[in-house]
Amino acid sequence: MNAASGGGRRLLTDEVLRQRGMTEPEADADKEGRGNVLVIAGSREVPGAALLTATAALRAGAGRLTIATPASVSMAIAIAMPEARVIALAERSSGGLGTEAASQLEDLASRIDACVVGPGLMDEDATVAFTQSLMERFSCPLILDAQAMTVLSLGTRPRGPVTVTPHAGEMAHLTGQAKPDVLANAQALASEYAQRWQAGVVLKGATTCIAFPDEPCWQHDGGDVGLATSGSGDTLAGLMVGLAARGIAPLDAALWAVRLHALAGERLTARHGRLGFLARELSDEIPAAMHRLCTGEDR
């Protein structure tokens, strides 16, 4: 495996990604050939999380998009995202997903190429119960974000590959560690829990650690404070699921998503400065960022 390494870690760079390559669809592929992606996200309080995640999935190159979201916000999301099929899920009075919501998606299990669960979902107990039920039905690559990640700390084991995307505070919650200890030992913790959970761990921060079971830990040092903005993590999760839907292996989907996300931030910083750009603007930068990473040429 080609990588730049140092100090027991593999450094994620543009050159490394070009060497690893990215699976490209055939020139005559239709939207099915570019992958079917399912985004389960949003709530009455945070409906925009579904839009941020779904937009990033399409910008990453996925061909067909389905959004499943609580019924109370489904119509607004459908209008805001005309590219998507939108499924209205049963919800509790708390705003969390109802126990029957996973069964509403059962018919999709054989047709979805990758799925992300969690951005903007409310009510942790409801989200955990829903995610556990979903994991019994779906064997495609799953990206778990926000409260959906809790299922792994409870011992739930997936049928297919899973990647989780915690920041340091969420990793502290999942592992019972203090946040300062997570920050001080990010690489070791990411590797330990990737093995323990048998899942990919993308531990986000100014330095992001990407660990997968039985793989060396990768480190990306190119994060910037401008990316520490509301909704940025939803965009990263969307990039990851969009790439996975295209048939890119979960580890490579994570590596490419982390670097694309950072490069989109770099492009916005060059135009606007380090602070003040919005998560919704990141996805617009992704096609040009992807072209640069694949070819070395700017657009």
Side-chain angles (χ1 to χ4, degrees):
M1 186 181 297
N2 293 313
S5 61
R9 69 193 185 282
R10 294 177 182 259
L11 299 179
L12 178 57
T13 66
D14 295 357
E15 292 74 20
V16 165
L17 284 176
R18 289 191 200 104
Q19 290 170 10
R20 292 179 73 89
M22 176 186 283
T23 303
E24 294 286 349
E26 298 295 331
D28 59 352
D30 60 14
K31 58 188 174 184
E32 299 287 345
R34 287 171 48 188
N36 294 326
V37 64
L38 174 61
V39 172
I40 305 172
S43 62
R44 293 196 298 261
E45 293 184 28
V46 198
L51 299 178
L52 290 169
T53 308
T55 300
L58 290 181
R59 289 296 195 185
R64 184 187 288 273
L65 169 65
T66 301
I67 301 173
T69 195
S72 61
V73 297
S74 61
M75 184 58 69
I77 288 175
I79 293 169
M81 194 83 197
E83 298 86 354
R85 174 191 178 189
V86 177
I87 297 173
L89 296 178
E91 62 186 301
R92 298 179 178 182
S93 59
S94 65
L97 295 176
T99 54
E100 67 271 39
S103 64
Q104 292 179 249
L105 303 174
E106 192 162 11
D107 290 346
L108 291 176
S110 63
R111 292 181 278 146
I112 294 298
D113 296 300
C115 173
V116 59
V117 188
L121 294 183
M122 303 300 293
D123 186 338
E124 185 171 16
D125 290 343
T127 298
V128 167
F130 167 82
T131 305
Q132 288 174 322
S133 183
L134 187 86
M135 288 169 68
E136 294 172 359
R137 294 168 164 84
F138 280 66
S139 58
C140 65
L142 292 177
I143 288 81
L144 304 183
D145 186 57
Q147 295 177 348
M149 296 186 289
T150 303
V151 297
L152 294 186
S153 68
L154 298 176
T156 305
R157 291 295 171 258
R159 293 176 57 198
V162 168
T163 305
V164 294
T165 59
H167 54 61
E170 290 169 328
M171 193 67 173
H173 173 68
L174 293 170
T175 63
Q177 305 277 333
K179 183 177 177 181
D181 293 335
V182 173
L183 292 169
N185 302 288
Q187 181 180 327
L189 279 173
S191 296
E192 176 186 347
Y193 281 90
Q195 204 66 35
R196 183 179 298 192
W197 293 332
Q198 287 298 290
V201 176
V202 178
L203 182 49
K204 302 178 292 192
T207 293
T208 294
C209 296
I210 304 112
F212 275 67
D214 304 315
E215 292 278 352
C217 187
W218 290 81
Q219 181 172 308
H220 180 261
D221 295 326
D224 189 82
V225 68
L227 290 171
T229 186
S230 180
S232 180
D234 302 335
T235 299
L236 177 62
L239 293 175
M240 211 172 296
V241 76
L243 293 168
R246 290 174 47 188
I248 295 169
L251 171 57
D252 283 304
L255 295 175
W256 278 92
V258 166
R259 183 65 192 123
L260 283 168
H261 185 253
L263 184 54
E266 291 171 21
R267 294 172 64 89
L268 288 170
T269 295
R271 290 203 301 275
H272 305 300
R274 297 178 71 200
L275 299 179
F277 59 80
L278 306 176
R280 76 182 74 156
E281 298 171 313
L282 289 166
S283 286
D284 290 344
E285 302 296 325
I286 294 302
M290 196 178 309
H291 177 80
R292 173 180 152 182
L293 286 182
C294 289
T295 68
E297 301 172 356
D298 272 320
R299 277 190 173 174

